[in-house]
Amino acid sequence: MFTKLMLQVGEKSLSSLSSVYEVFHFTFICFAHMLNPKSYNPAMRMVLIKQIYFTAVGIIPLFTTMAFIFGSVIIGVVILLATKYSLQDQIGSIIITFVIDEFSPFFTALLISLRSGAAVNTEIAVMSVNRELDTLKAYKIDLIDYLFLPRIISGIISVTSLSILFAVIMLTSGYIFTFFYMSMDFLAYKYLLINAIEVKDILVLLIKGVSYGLVVMLIPIYSGFHTQGSYTNIPISVLNGMVKLFIAIFFIEVASLLIQSL
């Protein structure tokens, strides 16, 4: 009984290590294509523009509304708690750290994952089940250059740019609460934030935006690409892809917190 259990554990461990290796190998190949100027042909650039529009531009109205609401509410809560615990001198640093370093990139990644990550996973899975990917290969079309690379680059650009936009709108809308609760004028609020922000905060926002943008597209593409069989396997592929994606997002967030605490 014990031997059988150990064999099962060993098989699952080897399977997990094999899956991790395949993901890293797939990531390495995509990076190699990303650094190759020949990958950026006219067809690839056309797909890239469409993907950026779908991922980033199309969501801007909803995105700005949510950023405005979250900014007013969350910054208000931060100010109330800081005032309650006599941390008025640290309000600027607390707001900058929470909004720029943590909330903006994390929330943006989650929103893009739910909207675009799931859609890309489904799209690639349907193409795989329908053997459309095999047809593209038969016509000597590079799947990475034509299908995968535009989506990965659009994910990086979209998540990073939307994270910056989200942070700016949140910080701007936070002034509404400070005006009514603390009677603070706009110049005082602006200098409060300017004095608190550091180069480190901008770097953290950019690095997390790029990291989140990479996994938001890479993992769904990988999951969809390996979908085989019938249409009933597509929902399973999307579910597995989204679970792995959320695990990756939380792993990046935890790793970021650990690195910043050093």
Side-chain angles (χ1 to χ4, degrees), residues 159-214:
V159 174
T160 304
S161 58
L162 288 177
S163 296
I164 296 172
L165 177 63
F166 197 89
V168 171
I169 296 175
M170 277 193 71
L171 294 175
T172 303
S173 62
Y175 168 68
I176 297 175
F177 189 89
T178 58
F179 176 76
F180 286 103
Y181 181 74
M182 303 177 66
S183 299
M184 183 183 296
D185 61 79
F186 183 74
L187 286 178
Y189 179 73
K190 182 179 72 173
Y191 285 118
L192 176 73
L193 299 180
I194 291 175
N195 292 331
I197 194 168
E198 300 177 2
V199 176
K200 172 189 74 71
D201 300 310
I202 304 299
L203 291 177
V204 169
L205 177 63
L206 294 176
I207 292 172
K208 291 178 75 171
V210 171
S211 302
Y212 285 140
L214 176 65

Side-chain angles (χ1 to χ4, degrees), residues 7-221:
L7 286 174
Q8 291 177 346
V9 172
E11 289 176 357
K12 287 188 176 296
S13 299
L14 289 175
S15 177
S16 299
L17 289 174
S18 177
S19 298
V20 171
Y21 170 78
E22 290 179 0
V23 171
F24 277 104
H25 184 253
F26 181 74
T27 304
F28 175 78
I29 294 175
C30 290
F31 267 117
H33 280 256
M34 192 180 299
L35 297 175
N36 185 2
K38 294 182 179 179
S39 298
Y40 298 87
N41 53 68
M44 181 272 185
R45 294 197 298 269
M46 180 184 67
V47 176
L48 174 60
I49 292 172
K50 290 182 178 179
Q51 287 299 315
I52 292 176
Y53 178 82
F54 171 76
T55 306
V57 179
I59 200 176
I60 284 179
L62 173 64
F63 196 79
T64 52
T65 303
M66 296 182 70
F68 188 85
I69 295 173
F70 275 112
S72 301
V73 175
I74 293 179
I75 291 180
V77 172
V78 169
I79 292 174
L80 284 175
L81 291 175
T83 304
K84 180 180 179 180
Y85 293 102
S86 302
L87 297 173
Q88 290 90 338
D89 295 338
Q90 302 297 321
I91 287 179
S93 298
I94 295 172
I95 291 176
I96 290 296
T97 300
F98 180 77
V99 173
I100 294 183
D101 294 6
E102 305 301 331
F103 190 81
S104 294
F106 184 75
F107 182 81
T108 302
L110 289 180
L111 188 60
I112 298 299
S113 298
L114 293 172
R115 184 178 184 272
S116 299
V120 168
N121 196 331
T122 304
E123 179 186 18
I124 302 298
V126 170
M127 295 181 71
S128 179
V129 171
N130 284 339
R131 298 192 176 278
E132 295 177 47
L133 300 181
D134 295 333
T135 303
L136 292 175
K137 289 180 183 178
Y139 281 99
K140 307 298 183 182
I141 296 176
D142 194 306
L143 298 182
I144 294 179
D145 289 349
Y146 182 70
L147 286 179
F148 303 159
L149 196 57
R151 288 160 175 80
I152 293 172
I153 295 177
S154 74
I156 294 173
I157 294 174
S158 299
V159 174
T160 304
S161 58
L162 288 177
S163 296
I164 296 172
L165 177 63
F166 197 89
V168 171
I169 296 175
M170 277 193 71
L171 294 175
T172 303
S173 62
Y175 168 68
I176 297 175
F177 189 89
T178 58
F179 176 76
F180 286 103
Y181 181 74
M182 303 177 66
S183 299
M184 183 183 296
D185 61 79
F186 183 74
L187 286 178
Y189 179 73
K190 182 179 72 173
Y191 285 118
L192 176 73
L193 299 180
I194 291 175
N195 292 331
I197 194 168
E198 300 177 2
V199 176
K200 172 189 74 71
D201 300 310
I202 304 299
L203 291 177
V204 169
L205 177 63
L206 294 176
I207 292 172
K208 291 178 75 171
V210 171
S211 302
Y212 285 140
L214 176 65
V215 299
V216 159
M217 289 297 174
L218 186 66
I219 293 177
I221 288 172

